[in-house]
Amino acid sequence: TIIAIDSIIVANVTDAGANFTIQQIPRGQSTGDQFALFNEIDVRKNASMVISDAPIYLNRGDSLYAQASIASALVMTVYARRT
């Protein structure tokens, strides 16, 4: 099964700017800069953004890893479908 991620919405729920990194980790691998899809993307305070202008395809066993610069500052919603 392949998963197509159509969009990712990121909301900064704090009064401070924050940034995030998203990596696509292939099956059997661990996180690393070589897997970065989005790296240190800034989100203004109390703002939202939609990222991904084309589908991101995850193969069986792949994973999506996201990390924010400030704990609990960002909320991410991922819209995906099986293809």
Side-chain angles (χ1 to χ4, degrees):
T1 302
I2 295 176
I3 302 294
I5 297 172
D6 294 316
S7 66
I8 302 170
I9 299 172
V10 182
N12 184 340
V13 296
T14 68
D15 289 328
N19 68 55
F20 65 89
T21 295
I22 296 177
Q23 298 177 356
Q24 180 178 358
I25 313 300
R27 178 181 172 180
Q29 300 289 318
S30 41
T31 61
D33 291 341
Q34 70 271 28
F35 301 124
L37 297 175
F38 305 96
N39 193 46
E40 296 184 3
I41 304 298
D42 292 321
V43 184
R44 294 185 327 247
K45 65 181 183 174
N46 298 310
S48 297
M49 65 186 318
V50 177
I51 59 171
S52 186
D53 56 359
I56 299 166
Y57 294 99
L58 298 178
N59 293 310
R60 182 182 301 270
D62 290 357
S63 59
L64 206 60
Y65 170 81
Q67 183 173 16
S69 61
I70 301 172
S72 302
L74 302 177
V75 175
M76 292 187 178
T77 304
V78 177
Y79 292 94
R81 59 188 160 82
R82 289 188 177 130
T83 59

